[in-house]
């Protein structure tokens, strides 16, 4: 189904259900897609601005443009508790949007940029909670610098050469993550679980925090050797 000529702006499309549709070069401004369901849909060179995507589900959807190496844009939008299952979001640009409780599962987020994305929500005057999941995702070359994701689930994701500068990942489940050549200056990893992951090139001396970080004995050898400690067998 070709929907590129459809006018999305300022429409209330709550609970809409679409399967095998194609949307190209669309400006989805101020559209309400709360609780929408998209299955095997293509969004090519689309921009979501001030869009309401709360609790929306994107299942096996393709947002990437292989010709221009560009992805979707989400600006000033609400993606709270949205779910993306096996979607291609390569080079997505998420700018100043709310993503509390968002879930990306087995998604391609290669080169995606999260600029001032807010994964938290205030409950009452003093209680602020953070929730998000990036499980089994490709986040290679992604920009998560300064992202605040304490206690979130990033398990089994590839973060190769990703920019994690200044990111707060304290207490995160990062089991099985690949952090090869990731930029980690100032990254907070206290209490994060990094067991079974690829940690080549991780420099403990530049981390913002590491107390309670979980690694295996075999990972310990590489981490200590990389900072010049001569680790000898017993």
């Amino acid at each position: 189904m070709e929907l590129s000529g459809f006018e999305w702006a300022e429409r209330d499309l709550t609970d809409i259900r679409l399967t095998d549709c194609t949307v190209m070069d669309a400006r989805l401004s101020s559209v309400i897609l709360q609780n929408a369901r998209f299955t095997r849909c293509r969004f090519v060179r689309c921009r979501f601005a001030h869009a309401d995507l709360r609790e929306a589900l994107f299942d096996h959807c393709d947002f990437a443009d292989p010709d221009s190496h560009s992805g979707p844009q989400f600006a000033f939008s609400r993606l709270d508790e949205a779910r993306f299952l096996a979607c291609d979001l390569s080079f997505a640009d998420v700018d100043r949007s709310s993503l509390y409780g968002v879930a990306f599962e087995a998604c391609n987020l290669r080169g995606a940029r999260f600029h001032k994305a807010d994964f938290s929500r205030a409950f009452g005057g003093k209680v602020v909670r953070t929730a998000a999941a990036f499980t089994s995702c490709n986040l290679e070359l992604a920009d998560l610098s300064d992202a605040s994701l304490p206690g979130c689930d990033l398990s089994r994701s590839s973060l190769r050469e990703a920019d994690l500068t200044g990111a707060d990942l304290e207490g995160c489940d990062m089991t099985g993550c690949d952090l090869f050549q990731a930029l980690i200056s100032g990254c907070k990893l206290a209490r994060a679980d990094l067991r079974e992951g690829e940690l080549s090139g991780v420099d403990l001396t530049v981390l913002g925090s590491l107390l309670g970080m979980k690694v295996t004995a075999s990972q310990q050898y590489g981490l200590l050797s990389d900072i010049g400690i001569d680790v000898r067998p017993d």
Side-chain angles (χ1 to χ4, degrees):
M1 182 188 304
E2 174 62 56
L3 294 174
S4 297
F6 182 77
E7 181 56 55
W8 297 86
E10 301 184 7
R11 291 286 188 94
D12 186 346
L13 301 173
T14 301
D15 296 323
I16 192 172
R17 302 289 188 269
L18 290 174
T19 301
D20 296 319
C21 66
T22 299
V23 183
M24 299 182 70
D25 299 307
R27 297 295 178 264
L28 296 91
S29 302
S30 301
V31 63
I32 300 175
L33 294 168
Q34 187 173 1
N35 202 41
R37 297 291 183 269
F38 297 95
T39 305
R40 297 187 305 277
C41 293
R42 292 189 68 219
F43 297 86
V44 183
R45 297 183 300 275
C46 290
R47 187 174 192 270
F48 298 81
H50 299 279
D52 186 348
L53 299 166
R54 289 175 295 167
E55 301 176 4
L57 171 64
F58 296 88
D59 188 355
H60 286 79
C61 292
D62 188 351
F63 292 82
D65 179 12
D67 295 328
S68 64
H69 298 290
S70 63
Q73 295 177 310
F74 299 91
F76 303 98
S77 294
R78 303 180 68 183
L79 289 90
D80 306 286
E81 299 185 64
R83 293 184 66 198
F84 295 84
L85 307 179
C87 293
D88 190 346
L89 292 142
S90 303
F91 303 104
D93 189 356
V94 183
D95 186 17
R96 288 164 287 188
S97 296
S98 60
L99 291 91
Y100 175 80
V102 71
F104 297 95
E105 302 174 33
C107 289
N108 185 3
L109 288 154
R110 186 176 187 271
R113 172 179 174 265
F114 294 84
H115 176 65
K116 295 185 178 179
D118 189 357
F119 300 93
S120 301
R121 177 184 292 173
F123 294 84
K126 297 183 179 180
V127 178
V128 177
R129 296 174 182 167
T130 303
F134 295 84
T135 55
S136 301
C137 289
N138 177 9
L139 285 156
E140 295 178 8
L141 300 169
D143 185 353
L144 283 163
S145 56
D146 297 317
S148 182
L149 290 161
C152 292
D153 187 355
L154 284 79
S155 57
R156 303 180 304 282
S157 290
S158 175
L159 290 151
R160 283 189 161 226
E161 300 182 75
D163 188 350
L164 304 176
T165 305
D168 184 353
L169 304 179
E170 292 192 344
C172 282
D173 181 356
M174 300 179 71
T175 52
C177 278
D178 187 344
L179 289 167
F180 178 76
Q181 296 296 326
L183 304 178
I184 57 169
S185 180
C187 180
K188 298 178 181 178
L189 288 173
R191 303 182 307 284
D193 191 343
L194 298 169
R195 290 174 292 183
E196 303 175 18
E198 172 57 66
L199 305 182
S200 299
V202 172
D203 184 352
L204 298 177
T205 65
V206 303
L207 290 175
S209 68
L210 52 74
L211 185 64
M213 187 175 75
K214 300 179 181 68
V215 297
T216 62
S218 58
Q219 289 171 312
Q220 170 186 257
Y221 176 84
L223 288 170
L224 295 177
S225 296
D226 284 346
I227 60 174
I229 296 177
D230 185 6
V231 182
R232 302 291 181 90
D234 293 334

